[in-house]
């Protein structure tokens, strides 16, 4: 019998590969569907402060959503690695003019400037990346635990965490760990 962590890493590899093999057309269609669902949710919740992420590895492209939010004059934020609180993230204001610099993992992020930080409790929606999800709303990420820490206790906070995913990322039941917290919803394209 494989351990939970072995099953999780196997699942990560398998689904990442499937996702990387989606065609350009699959990607465009999925991004359109998810963008529309996300904009509907933003309108429903009267959300003004919205965290997104920069897509890579075949993830749903968040660029169309980001541009639509900018066009609606919403405030958009990106996660930035916390400079001394290891494993944690800060959320920084993101505009078309924001200069992005690769962090220690090579992921582009806004330059850390205290003026641009929004405390997490002021965010309305955090759109999260994920590798796999199930019907219960459980999410499996890349393995760093960054979003798990950010979303800890979200039921007692103002924001809602909402995953964005391709249909091929759904599994029957994720092998979960004690620190995994189901998301508010997952928008599938
Ligand atoms: N709330 C937490 N407090 C402390 N450590 C945590 C917490 N959540 C996760 N971790 C640690 O992070 C590691 C990775 O967690 P997990 O496998 O759930 O990541 P993930 O959900 O795939 O990644 P991510 O959330 O970054 O997308 C685990 O080994 C765990 O020890
Ligand atoms: Mg997790």
């Amino acid at each position: 019998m494989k351990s939970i962590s072995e099953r999780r890493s196997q699942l990560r590899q398998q689904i990442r590969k499937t996702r990387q093999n989606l065609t350009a057309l699959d990607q465009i269609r999925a991004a359109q569907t998810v963008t529309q669902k996300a904009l509907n949710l933003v309108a429903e919740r009267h959300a003004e402060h919205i965290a997104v992420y920069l897509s890579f590895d075949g993830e749903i492209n968040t660029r169309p959503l980001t541009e639509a939010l900018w066009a609606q004059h919403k405030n958009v934020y990106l996660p930035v690695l916390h400079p001394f609180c290891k494993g944690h993230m800060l959320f920084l204001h993101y505009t078309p003019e924001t200069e992005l610099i690769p962090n220690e993992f090579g992921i582009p992020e806004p330059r850390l400037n205290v003026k641009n930080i929004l405390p997490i409790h002021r965010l309305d929606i955090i759109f999260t990346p994920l590798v796999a999800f199930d019907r219960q709303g459980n999410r499996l990420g890349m393995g760093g635990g960054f979003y798990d820490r950010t979303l800890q206790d979200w039921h007692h906070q103002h924001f809602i965490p909402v995953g964005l995913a391709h249909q091929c990322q759904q599994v029957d039941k994720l092998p979960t760990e004690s620190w995994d917290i189901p998301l508010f919803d997952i928008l599938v394209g």
Side-chain angles (χ1 to χ4, degrees):
M1 190 63 185
K2 285 206 189 69
S3 70
I4 288 184
S5 82
E6 279 172 327
R7 284 165 61 208
R8 283 162 76 94
S9 59
Q10 204 172 38
L11 203 58
R12 274 190 194 101
Q13 274 181 23
Q14 186 194 320
I15 292 184
R16 287 183 61 185
K17 207 162 148 197
T18 308
R19 195 174 60 181
Q20 286 159 10
N21 286 330
L22 291 170
T23 67
L25 188 59
D26 292 335
Q27 285 289 355
I28 289 168
R29 286 192 179 132
Q32 273 174 355
T33 306
V34 168
T35 298
Q36 199 48 59
K37 289 182 180 179
L39 292 175
N40 291 346
L41 180 71
V42 165
E44 236 172 76
R45 310 275 311 183
H46 307 288
E48 291 296 332
H49 300 281
I50 300 146
V52 299
Y53 57 92
L54 300 176
S55 317
F56 85 117
D57 195 47
E59 288 170 342
I60 290 278
N61 184 6
T62 54
R63 185 73 195 179
L65 172 60
T66 302
E67 289 182 358
L69 293 172
W70 284 335
Q72 294 182 13
H73 307 289
K74 302 290 185 185
N75 291 298
V76 182
Y77 302 84
L78 278 180
V80 171
L81 296 177
H82 198 291
F84 25 82
C85 215
K86 205 170 172 292
H88 288 256
M89 301 187 297
L90 296 168
F91 288 86
L92 266 78
H93 201 212
Y94 177 38
T95 74
E97 283 75 45
T98 303
E99 192 192 345
L100 299 173
I101 296 138
N103 66 19
E104 63 188 80
F105 299 115
I107 300 168
E109 55 179 41
R111 191 191 296 280
L112 192 52
N113 181 336
V114 183
K115 281 196 320 225
N116 298 331
I117 300 175
L118 188 78
I120 292 180
H121 68 260
R122 293 199 48 209
L123 284 167
D124 299 312
I125 303 180
I126 300 182
F127 286 115
T128 76
L130 57 86
V131 176
F133 68 100
D134 65 18
R135 266 157 33 102
Q136 278 73 49
N138 290 307
R139 104 176 246 291
L140 183 72
M142 294 286 279
F146 288 93
Y147 276 94
D148 290 303
R149 292 183 197 91
T150 303
L151 306 182
Q152 218 175 13
D153 214 26
W154 71 261
H155 287 279
H156 297 107
Q157 304 205 39
H158 173 70
F159 71 82
I160 51 169
V162 177
L164 305 179
H166 294 282
Q167 188 57 65
C168 66
Q169 292 172 249
Q170 181 164 7
V171 301
D172 259 0
K173 189 155 183 8
L174 273 184
T176 51
E177 298 274 20
S178 57
W179 56 81
D180 286 322
I181 301 138
L183 301 174
F184 174 83
D185 198 6
I186 294 156
L187 308 182
V188 183

